[in-house]
């Protein structure tokens, strides 16, 4: 499964509510240690939102804090969908169970 | 290991922000391309989260990111260039990654990377034929 | 002592390297047509390039990352590719203009048709890039460009009415008989000539080539805060010279020879010699910078090894792009396409493309993960944001104005 296959995919809940599109994936470094002494990365959650432009700038993820005007335009805390909440995945949509989402946040 | 209710332990890395389109640097400090895609391996256990298996770099992988008609055209060029090779092109195994920072450092030499074959071709076929190509830099 | 020398050299190099064929043409043509009433556009552009280059230089010194590397990183592969297409095209257009500019300068001294010089110039540009050290190349052509100081001497020697020049500069009005759209079209051209994107690609990549680090930030500031304004002064003296000589006569500037006229009127053969040396230095230096920038932008987008800081064989694709760009510039140049027209298009389109590259640099300059304590302060951010808005407005207005005024006729 490639990252490019996840990005831009529409995410809906089992109730039919549309949460937006996938624009990032949160990875956590708690996997088995590899050959370089570097622990593996596991996909913990998907970041879902309604905007598609400006998601790589760093405002949504919180690493860039200024200038004021750009932050106002691009800062949108993303909705995090844990991997376990996904019940169905295809090339064009991902269906998530809202109950499993709320448990983890 | 984290269950559904807990904060994950371990460093957090945003795949699109911190991996995608980042510079790859080989063990000698030479630039070795950009990360164009990330390959995950999904275990049989549906609850186990996917693991990063390899970084993908090269025209074929870049074409996936660009998408649309232009991306498909790029992908077809890459396929034609790759026609004679059997190996999966442009994969950098996760075991070759040394560190992730503002650039991603690899333990391999870029001449050993399949994703860098374009550079080697241009060097061997064109640049090395011009006098002074091996001229010491300052 | 060595540090002071280094800083002084940097300032002089920045000053001498500031003017290129775009500035030569734009400032003279504007001075001839509007006198000094568009001087404000030059000032606005010089302040803009100072803000832009300082950020790009600071980011490159602290992170060792140059502009187009960061453009792709922050905008993504798709938007980055569109950006690359536009920036590469405009830089290539500028390279064509600069190569023709060198050839035209040689035509001024030799009466040999400039078309015959173009292939020689192309070869010389490639050879210098292939063999000459980066620092040497920058310093030599930057210092030679100081010959343009003769234009300041010439303006003084013409004994203009300083109060009249100052009055027109500080009270900008659209002259009677001229339309507002054309006035602003010329303003955009001046702005684009001062704030050329390739200048920033080169400055930022050059910081990495010269291995600047955090401790070189003083050098970065000196180059930018002193070198660029002094370079801007050269632009304004070109405008003033044309304002004094051509404007009263209602004559337009369409040829490079006319750009040299005020200086040769004021200072005779000696003045003319200096100004032609200045033309050659400025245009040849700019040709080097734009050819390298063609290589920098493409290599940095794709992540290829770039730069003169490694052996040519270790940056094979980078050098292939550079030499191919020069070949294209030569081929297009010898078709006898009007170099002045190409210059005009290159500077106006530069103004339209500026936000694409400015925006990611502004964002990274605010990223504390990358910059640590060297992020933009609040005052700089305020000015930088003002320019972000200004550049967007200018970019939006450029193509409509170009169509409405039929490219400034």
């Amino acid at each position: 499964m490639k990252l490019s296959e996840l990005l831009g995919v529409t995410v809906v809940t089992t109730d039919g509510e549309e949460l937006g599109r996938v624009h990032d994936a949160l990875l956590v470094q708690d996997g088995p240690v590899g050959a370089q002494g570097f622990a593996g990365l596991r996909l913990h959650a998907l970041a879902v939102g309604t905007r598609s432009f400006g998601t790589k700038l760093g405002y949504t993820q919180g690493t860039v804090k200024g200038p004021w005007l750009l932050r106002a335009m691009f800062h949108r805390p993303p909705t995090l969908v844990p991997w376990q909440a996904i019940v169905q995945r295809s090339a064009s949509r991902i269906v998530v169970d809202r109950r499993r989402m709320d448990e983890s946040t | 290991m984290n269950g559904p209710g807990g904060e994950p332990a371990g460093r957090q890395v945003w795949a699109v922000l911190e991996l995608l389109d980042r510079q790859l640097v080989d063990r000698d400090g030479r630039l070795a391309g950009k990360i164009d895609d990330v390959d995950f391996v999904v275990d049989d256990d549906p609850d186990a989260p996917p693991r990063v298996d390899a970084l993908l770099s090269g025209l074929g992988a870049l074409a996936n990111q660009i998408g649309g008609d232009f991306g498909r055209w790029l992908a077809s060029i890459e396929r034609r260039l790759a026609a004679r090779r059997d190996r999966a092109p442009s994969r950098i195994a996760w075991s070759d990654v040394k560190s992730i920072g503002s650039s991603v450092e690899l333990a391999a030499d870029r001449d050993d990377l399949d994703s860098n074959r374009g550079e080697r071709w241009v060097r061997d076929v064109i640049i090395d034929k011009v006098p002074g190509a091996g001229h010491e830099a300052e | 002592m060595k540090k002071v020398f280094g800083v002084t050299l940097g300032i002089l190099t920045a000053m001498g390297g500031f003017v290129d064929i775009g500035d030569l043409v734009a400032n003279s043509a504007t001075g001839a047509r509007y006198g000094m009433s568009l001087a404000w556009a030059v000032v606005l552009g010089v302040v803009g390039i100072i803000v832009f280059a300082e950020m790009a230089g600071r980011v490159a010194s602290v992170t060792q990352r140059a502009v187009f590397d960061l453009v792709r990183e922050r905008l993504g592969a798709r938007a980055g590719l569109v950006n690359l297409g536009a920036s590469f095209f405009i830089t290539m257009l500028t390279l064509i203009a600069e190569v023709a500019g060198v050839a035209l300068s040689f035509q001024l001294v030799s009466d040999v048709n400039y078309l015959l010089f173009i292939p020689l110039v192309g070869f010389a540009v490639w050879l210098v890039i292939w063999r000459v050290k980066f620092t040497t190349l920058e310093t030599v052509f930057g210092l030679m460009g100081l010959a343009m100081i003769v234009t300041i001497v010439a303006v003084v020697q013409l004994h203009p009415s300083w109060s009249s020049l100052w009055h027109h500069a500080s009270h900008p009005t659209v002259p009677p008989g001229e339309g507002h759209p054309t006035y602003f079209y010329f303003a955009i051209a001046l702005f684009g000539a001062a704030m050329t994107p390739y200048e920033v690609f080169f400055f930022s990549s050059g910081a990495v080539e010269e291995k600047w680090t955090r401790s070189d930030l003083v050098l970065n500031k000196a180059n930018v805060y002193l070198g660029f304004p002094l370079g801007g002064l050269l632009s304004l003296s070109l405008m003033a010279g044309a304002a004094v000589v051509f404007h009263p006569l209602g004559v337009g500037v369409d040829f490079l020879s006319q750009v040299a006229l005020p200086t040769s009127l004021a200072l005779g053969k000696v003045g003319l010699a200096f100004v032609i040396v200045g033309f050659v230095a400025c245009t040849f230096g700019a040709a080097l910078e734009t050819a390298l920038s063609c290589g920098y932008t493409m290599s940095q987008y794709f992540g290829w090894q770039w730069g003169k800081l490694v052996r040519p064989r270790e940056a094979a694709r980078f050098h292939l792009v550079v030499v191919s760009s020069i070949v294209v510039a030569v081929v297009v140049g010898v078709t006898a396409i009007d170099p002045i027209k190409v210059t005009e298009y290159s500077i106006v389109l530069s103004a339209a493309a500026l936000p694409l590259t400015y925006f990611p640099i502004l964002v990274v300059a605010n990223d504390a993960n990358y910059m640590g304590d060297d992020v933009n302060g609040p005052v700089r951010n305020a000015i930088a944001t003002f320019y972000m808005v200004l550049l967007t407005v200018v970019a939006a207005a450029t193509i409509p104005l170009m169509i409405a005024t039929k490219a400034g006729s």
Side-chain angles (χ1 to χ4, degrees), chain C residues 137-211:
Chain C
L137 168 173
E138 245 212 336
T139 317
V140 165
F141 289 98
L143 292 180
M144 262 178 77
L146 291 175
M148 291 298 290
I149 291 179
V150 74
T151 57
I152 301 181
V153 176
V155 172
V156 172
Q157 192 65 11
L158 286 170
H159 302 300
S161 158
W162 291 105
S163 58
S164 165
L165 280 180
W166 173 251
H167 180 85
H168 281 130
S170 52
H171 297 83
T173 44
V174 182
E178 292 275 12
H180 277 75
T182 318
Y183 182 79
F184 284 107
Y185 182 77
F186 271 78
I188 290 178
L190 286 170
F191 195 69
M195 264 191 98
T196 37
Y198 84 78
E199 181 93 45
V200 182
F201 301 148
F202 182 76
F203 192 70
S204 152
S205 307
V208 178
E209 294 264 32
E210 296 194 356
K211 303 189 172 70

Side-chain angles (χ1 to χ4, degrees), chain B residues 21-23 30-31 33-34 36 62 65-66 70 102 110 116 119 123 128 131 133-138, chain C residues 65 69 72-73 76 78 81 130-131 134 300 302-303 305-306 309 311-317 370:
Chain B
D21 303 313
R22 285 289 164 116
Q23 183 75 61
R30 294 282 181 264
L31 305 182
K34 291 243 173 173
D36 295 312
L62 180 61
Q65 254 217 79
I66 292 177
F70 189 65
S102 70
R110 69 177 175 156
N116 228 42
E119 178 79 13
R123 183 191 64 198
D128 262 347
H135 180 68
E136 198 54 64
E138 52 262 38
Chain C
R65 312 287 295 278
D69 185 356
R72 174 165 168 189
E73 187 188 292
R78 209 175 327 179
L81 190 63
W130 188 252
R131 290 303 294 244
F134 188 88
Q300 286 161 17
F302 287 108
Q305 176 67 53
W306 52 269
L309 70 176
R311 294 181 204 181
R313 70 187 307 269
E314 291 175 346
R317 286 177 288 191
Y370 270 41

Side-chain angles (χ1 to χ4, degrees), chain B residues 2-24:
Chain B
N2 47 293
E7 258 306 307
R11 177 183 166 191
Q12 298 188 352
V13 174
W14 286 102
V16 172
L17 183 65
E18 300 181 58
L19 289 182
L20 225 50
D21 303 313
R22 285 289 164 116
Q23 183 75 61
L24 289 162

Side-chain angles (χ1 to χ4, degrees), chain C residues 92-104 107 113-122 324-340 342-343:
Chain C
M92 171 69 87
L93 214 57
T94 314
L95 175 60
I96 295 169
E98 306 291 349
V99 167
V102 183
L104 284 172
Q107 180 180 272
N113 192 301
Y114 83 100
L115 292 175
L116 294 171
F117 283 115
I118 287 182
L120 297 172
V121 172
S324 307
S325 307
I326 296 173
V327 168
V328 170
V330 167
V331 167
V332 174
V334 295
T335 62
I337 194 171
D338 181 359
I340 306 293
V342 173
T343 305

